[in-house]
Amino acid sequence: MSHEPHHPSRLRRAALPVPLSPCASRQAPASRKVKAKMPKFYNDDPAWEDIEPLPQDDGGLHPLAAIAYTDEYSEAMGYLRAVMAKNEFSERVLGLTEHIISMNPAHYTVWLYRAKTLSELHASLEDEITWLNRTALKHLKNYQIWHHRQTVIDALGSPKGEPDFIATMLEQDSKNYHVWSYRQWLVKRFGLFGDDEELQWTEEMICADVRNNSAWNHRWFLVVGGKDGQSVGEHMVKREIDYAKHAIRRAPQNQSPWNYLKGIVRQAKLPLSTLKDFALEFADIRRPDDIYSSHALDLLADIFGEEEDSKEEAKKALDLLATRFDPIRAHYWRYRKGLLEQTGSAGVVA
Amino acid sequence: MAIPRPQSSQSPSSRLEGILADTDRIEELSDSDGDYEDMGTATEEEQANIAYLESVRIPIQDQLQTDSSKVQNETLQAVLPFLEGNPNDFPLNIFGIPQLQRMKHIAFLKQTLGDYPSAFAMMDASRPWLVYWSLQGMSVLGHDISEYRERVAHTFSLAQHPTGGHGGGYGQLPHLAATYAAVLSIVMVGGAEAYESINRKTMWHYLGQMKQADGGFTMADGGEEDIRGAFCALVIMSLLHIPLELPPDAPARKSGLTSFTDGLGEWISKCQSFDGGMSAAPGNEAHGAYAFCGLGCLSIIGPPKETLNKYLDMMTLIHWLSARQCSPEGGYNGRTNKLVDGCYSHWVGGCWSILEAAIDGQDIWNRSALSRYILSAAQAKKGGLIDKPGKRADAYHTCYNLAGLSAAQHKYVYEADVQTELGGGELDAPYYWKAEGLFEDERVWGSDDVVGEVHPIFVVPFKAVHECRSYFDSKEGF
Ligand SMILES: [Zn+2]
C-alpha cells in the first residue's frame, strides 16, 4: 500500500444535508410538494361533532415570526388543543395526531401527546412501529420521530427487527446522529454489548467508509461502553489495537482510528510508548520529507514528551506540525510545546 | 506580477451564478461557453488569498477514496472559490477580505422575524428560536431591537404554559429548547414588563419536572434526556435567579436529590467521549454543538477553572476542539471527518474563551482562519449567513456565524477575583465575564467589520444579561 500524498479527486455529488445541531430544526423547505391528498377537515365530520375546537389565541398585538397556517392545519390544531384540554385519549386522537404529523413532523407536542395516548389506550405498539416505518425515511433528520420510536420500542420490550431497520436508515445517511444515538440506546436497553452480530455490523460500516467516525464511536460503545468502568480484557485490547492499526494503514491521515487507538491504549492503562514503533512508520521526524500522517506526528510528540530524554524530539514533532504538516493549528501546537517547557514532563496525552 | 487564476472545479455556470443578478441569470447562462476560466488573471487580493490558503493546507492526503473523502473534496471545491476570490462581488476590506454586509444582514433578519407563509408550518414548534436567532443577530450587528420589546413580551406570554415553561406557541406543551429561546429573547429586549411576563414560580416547578434521578435533564415531560436540557435549564435558572433547591413536587426528590445541580457535573462528565469531545448523552458521538452546551453548563455551575478541570479531561478536550478547525477552509466542522459548517463558528468557536479561562491559556486557536471563512464563504450575496457556499441563508446560521465572528474578534476573560455587584448569589459564575477589547494579532477584519460583544455563556449582549440578573436579584420571593 502506498502512503504517498496525492491530489483530491474532483468528483462531484450533491452536498449532503448539514449536520444536525442540538437546536431543533431550522429551516423549512423553500417549497413543499403539493400533496395530491384532499385536505381533511373536522367541522363536518360527525365523529368530531362533540368537540368545540380551541382556536389559536394570538391576542392583540401581531406576534413575531407568525406563520400563515393553512385552514387545514389551523383547524386540526384547534381540535388537538380541545382534546388535550379535556385529556382525551382515544382512537380518534391517534388519527388526528397522525394527520397533524403529516403536515408538521417537527411538532413535539403532537408526538408527546400521541405517545401518551398510545400508552393510555394500550394500543397496538406493533401497528405503531409499522406506521413509523412507513414515514421514517421522510423524517430522518427529525428529533421527535426517533424519540417516539424509542418510547414505543421500550414499551414493547423487544429490539426485534430494529437493527435491520436502522441499517436501512443509515444507507441513506451513514452519519445521522439521531439514528446512531438510537442504536446506542437500543444496545444499552437490550444488553447487546457482547452481541457478535452488532460488532460485525459495526465492522461492515467501518469497512465501507473507514472515515465514518459515527461507526468508530459505536465500536467504542460496544467494546468499552458496556464494561461500565471495568477494564477491558487483555485479549480484547490487543484485538482492538490491531484493528485500529489495520484501519490506519488503509488511510494514515484519517483521524478516527488514531483517536480510537489512543483511546484504547489509555483505557487499558498501557504506556503510550506501546505505539511508538507504529507511529514511527508514518512519521520519522528525522526525515520530514517522508511524513505520511500528521496524526502520527501528534502522537509521537506525546510519546517523546513522556520519555526522559526526548523532549527535543517532542518539540521537533510539534514544530513540524506547526510549520508544515498542520499549520492551521499552529497556535495549538505551540501551546503544547509551551506545556512541555513548563512542566519538564509531558502530561499531555491527547 | 500576476499569477494565473487557479482552475476552479466548479463549472463556469455555477461560478457565474453567484456573480450575476437573479434576473440576468437564465439568459446569460444559456449562451455562456467554456472559456470563462481563461478570463484574466488573479487580482492582487486573490494572489494573497491563494498564498495564504497554501500556507495553512495540510500537505498530506490519503489515496483511499470513501464517501467521506468524496463529499469532503466536493465541499472544498465549492468553498475554495470564495476563499480565493470574491464571487459575490462584495466590497473588500483593507485585508482584501469581503466586508461584513451589515445592512444586508439586518434586513434579512427583519424578514426572519416577520411573517411566514404556510409552507413554514414545520417551524411552528420552533418559533421562539426564530425570534431569538433574529434578535441576537440584529443585536450583534448593532441594530437597536427595543422596538420589538412589546411584541416579544406578547409573543411569549402566549407561548407560556399554565404549568410552567414555554412551548413553541399558544397551546403547545412546554419544552426546554422553546423556554430557553423565549427567555433569552425576553432578556434581550429587557424591561420590567417583559421580565414580569415570565411566571418564575411555575418555571421552578416545570424545571423540577425535567430534572432526572441521574443528574441530567429531559427536554420535555416524556421527552429525550440530553446535554441541551442541562444547558438550557441552567441558563434559565441563572438568568431568572430561580432557587437551586428542587421544588417539593420534583420526581428526582424520590431518588434523594435535593438540588438542581445534584449529580449534574457527574452527568456532564459522562458525556465526554473517548476522543475528548462531548456528546448529546453518555455513549453518543462527540459533536461540536453539544460541546458548547456541556462547557456552558459547567460554566454556570461554577467558575470554568474549577468545574471544567473537575469534570473533564482537559487535554483530550482541547485536542478534539482544536481538530474541529477545517484546513484550509478555516471554519469548523462539528464532528471528526464531517464538513465545515458556519454554525460551528459559534458552537466550537464559542468554546475557546471558556476553555482558555479554565486553563489560563491564551490564544490557542486560529481566529483569523475562522474569520476568513465567515466573511468570505458564509455571507450570502443577498444578506444573511449560511452553512457553506451553495446553501440558503437562515436565521440560525446568521446568528451563530455572527456569534463566532464575535468570539474571534473580542477577548472575553473570566475575572474570578473581581467582585461584581452580581456576585455571591446562586449560579453567579457567568457574571464574572467581561470583554477586554479587540484582538489585534493576525486580524483580517477592518474596523467596519467588527461585530458587538456577546456574552460567552448566554450568547446575548452583556448589558442584557446584567440587567436581567440584577432585576431578579433585587426581587424577593417569586
Ligand atoms: Zn449548520
Side-chain angles (χ1 to χ4, degrees), chain A residues 18-21 26, chain B residues 340-344 347 386-388 394 396-397:
Chain A
V18 297
L20 252 137
S21 84
R26 319 179 274 278
Chain B
V340 66
D341 176 347
C343 63
Y344 297 110
W347 296 124
I386 55 178
D387 161 350
K388 59 175 71 63
D394 57 43
Y396 168 84
H397 286 93

Side-chain angles (χ1 to χ4, degrees), chain A residues 16 60-61 135 161 182 211 232 244 270-271 279 300 325 327 349:
Chain A
L16 286 178
L61 284 166
T135 48
Y182 173 63
R211 299 182 179 92
V232 180
L270 293 169
L300 277 172
F325 291 99
V349 181

